[in-house]
Amino acid sequence: MSEPVFVQLGPPPEEPSHLRGRRSYPPPVLARLEADAQQIIGRYPDRRSALLPLLHLVQSEDTCLTRAGVDFCAAQVGLTGAEVAAVATFYSMYRRTPTGDYLVGVCTNTLCAVMGGDAIFDALKNHLGVDSDETTADGAITLQHVECNAACDYAPVVMVNWEFFDNQTPASACDLVDALRSGAPVNPTRGRAPLCTFRHTQRLLAGFPDNRAVRTAGEPTLAGLRVATEHNMHAKAMEGED
């Protein structure tokens, strides 16, 4: 008779998909988060609709999702911790491990990889001394390789805290992270400027005001818009639409 085989279900505790971190917030932090949460919840007719921005709120506190953050969100919207975790672990923007001041993502999907994304990622690994999803010792940079950033016309693309840095090279990417680590102001190619830290970005994603200047769309995007206008091109209407 063969010996029974024990199979452990679910991710082992050492894997990053497992939520870690503190289990509760100190009273002053909790009071501040609750005040912010009420502002967020007040924007929605149903409290549960506020879950995603609330997850960004707690991530602004901890730089990743913790047990305390998940339980806080659950209490705010009337869900269980398991229900909140099921939502949170579906989305890659909700981090499982602590994040540095700047989350540097290098697109290594097909087009960016062919145009130099793999070389950029390897250069940054060597320059920073970290691998994917690791953070530099000074806490400044977390490096990761990411899938398509929907910016193929600007390949190869690097994103920092989800702001675009277009047409990068290994040298320009290394210069970029050096500037970030030095504390110098850095502007993305497009979007809001100047670049802000990961914690601040999370508050903006939670829906709090962003008063930074907006940098316009790039030339490849505008060129496509001009062609569409010249040829009277429109997206096909959905069935049932006028």
Side-chain angles (χ1 to χ4, degrees):
M1 183 176 177
S2 60
E3 294 292 325
V5 176
F6 174 75
V7 178
Q8 179 177 339
L9 301 178
E14 67 273 12
E15 289 193 358
S17 59
H18 190 84
L19 294 178
R20 301 178 182 177
R22 53 180 165 182
R23 295 177 177 271
S24 62
Y25 290 117
V29 174
L30 183 60
R32 173 165 47 78
L33 288 174
E34 286 176 339
D36 287 341
Q38 290 311 304
Q39 291 187 52
I40 295 170
I41 292 169
R43 305 184 196 125
Y44 299 92
D46 187 321
R47 298 179 72 87
R48 294 187 179 189
S49 299
L51 177 56
L52 298 186
L54 285 174
L55 288 168
H56 284 297
L57 174 66
V58 295
Q59 196 160 245
S60 75
E61 187 66 33
D62 296 318
T63 75
C64 64
L65 293 183
T66 62
R67 299 172 187 181
V70 166
D71 289 344
F72 173 84
C73 292
Q76 298 302 309
V77 298
L79 295 172
T80 66
E83 289 170 325
V84 172
V87 173
T89 54
F90 180 81
Y91 296 101
S92 61
M93 287 181 76
Y94 300 119
R95 304 273 303 159
R96 319 289 197 269
T97 54
T99 308
D101 293 333
Y102 299 99
L103 178 62
V104 177
V106 181
C107 181
T108 54
N109 213 328
T110 306
L111 183 57
C112 276
V114 169
M115 297 293 287
D118 286 340
I120 291 171
F121 185 70
D122 289 341
L124 287 176
K125 285 198 303 181
N126 292 331
H127 188 66
L128 296 171
V130 297
D131 211 323
S132 185
D133 276 321
E134 293 181 352
T135 302
T136 54
D138 60 4
I141 306 291
T142 296
L143 179 66
Q144 65 172 182
H145 71 80
V146 295
E147 292 301 318
C148 184
N149 287 319
C152 299
D153 43 351
Y154 302 96
V157 172
V158 172
M159 296 195 81
V160 181
N161 295 345
W162 299 295
E163 297 285 3
F164 288 104
F165 291 82
D166 302 328
N167 305 121
Q168 291 293 296
T169 65
S172 68
C174 290
D175 289 343
L176 170 60
V177 296
D178 285 346
L180 294 172
R181 297 179 84 178
S182 73
V186 174
N187 293 331
T189 309
R190 295 170 286 135
R192 300 275 184 173
L195 191 71
C196 57
T197 64
F198 182 82
R199 289 180 186 270
H200 190 186
T201 300
Q202 293 305 301
R203 286 190 62 81
L204 299 178
L205 291 171
F208 291 99
D210 186 352
N211 298 318
R212 294 174 298 158
V214 179
R215 299 172 70 86
T216 59
E219 179 55 30
T221 302
L222 297 176
L225 179 61
R226 286 195 296 270
V227 170
T229 302
E230 290 168 3
H231 294 274
N232 197 30
M233 299 166 64
H234 302 281
K236 185 178 179 181
M238 298 290 290
E239 185 176 349
E241 289 184 345
D242 296 332

